[in-house]
């Protein structure tokens, strides 16, 4: 069954908020200070009035040792931001101007 639904968001950002116990062998994005970054992202999106940008905190995105991680759709680009300045750059460049921040893009290989 196919539904003909209009796109809701121009970009939808999924941010890993997985929290595992300290010392867990897989680690977690939350243990690598992801939550303050995602709070910054949400505040920045709201402050800029970007109503066509969706954001969701998720569970594990599967690459725990590489975190903190976020993925932006519809492009399917994975980012590994480390600082609030990285978040600001992703918002201004990718989410506003549609120009990915290449230095922060994670290249996934099979």
């Amino acid at each position: 069954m196919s539904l003909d639904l209009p796109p809701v968001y121009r970009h939808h950002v999924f941010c890993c908020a997985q929290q595992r116990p300290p010392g867990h062998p897989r680690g977690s994005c939350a243990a690598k200070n992801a939550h303050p970054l995602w709070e910054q992202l949400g505040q920045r999106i709201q402050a800029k009035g970007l109503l066509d940008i969706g954001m969701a905190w998720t569970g594990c995105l599967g690459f725990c040792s590489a975190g903190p991680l976020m993925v932006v759709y519809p492009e399917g680009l994975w980012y590994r931001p480390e600082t609030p300045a990285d978040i600001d750059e992703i918002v201004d460049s990718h989410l506003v101007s549609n120009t990915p921040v290449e230095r922060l893009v994670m290249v996934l290989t099979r």
Side-chain angles (χ1 to χ4, degrees):
M1 176 178 182
S2 176
L3 299 175
D4 188 24
L5 298 174
V8 177
Y9 299 117
R10 187 168 48 86
H11 295 291
H12 203 148
V13 184
F14 295 89
C15 306
C16 180
Q18 179 69 42
Q19 177 70 60
R20 291 197 175 89
H24 190 282
R26 289 187 66 193
S28 67
C29 288
K32 295 178 181 176
N33 296 317
H35 291 173
L37 293 175
W38 308 153
E39 289 170 5
Q40 167 80 11
L41 178 62
Q43 291 168 1
R44 185 81 170 177
I45 289 170
Q46 185 176 20
K48 289 189 160 281
L50 301 174
L51 301 177
D52 59 350
I53 305 295
M55 178 189 164
W57 289 35
T58 72
C60 184
L61 291 173
F63 303 99
C64 307
S65 64
L69 298 175
M70 60 187 274
V71 60
V72 179
Y73 287 100
E75 298 87 345
L77 280 180
W78 291 72
Y79 283 109
R80 185 181 181 272
E82 295 182 15
T83 68
D86 291 343
I87 294 295
D88 292 348
E89 187 175 359
I90 291 167
V91 170
D92 293 341
S93 183
H94 190 153
L95 302 183
V96 172
S97 300
N98 293 311
T99 303
V101 183
E102 295 297 333
R103 69 179 186 82
L104 297 174
V105 170
M106 246 183 68
V107 178
L108 304 177
T109 59
R110 292 184 182 189

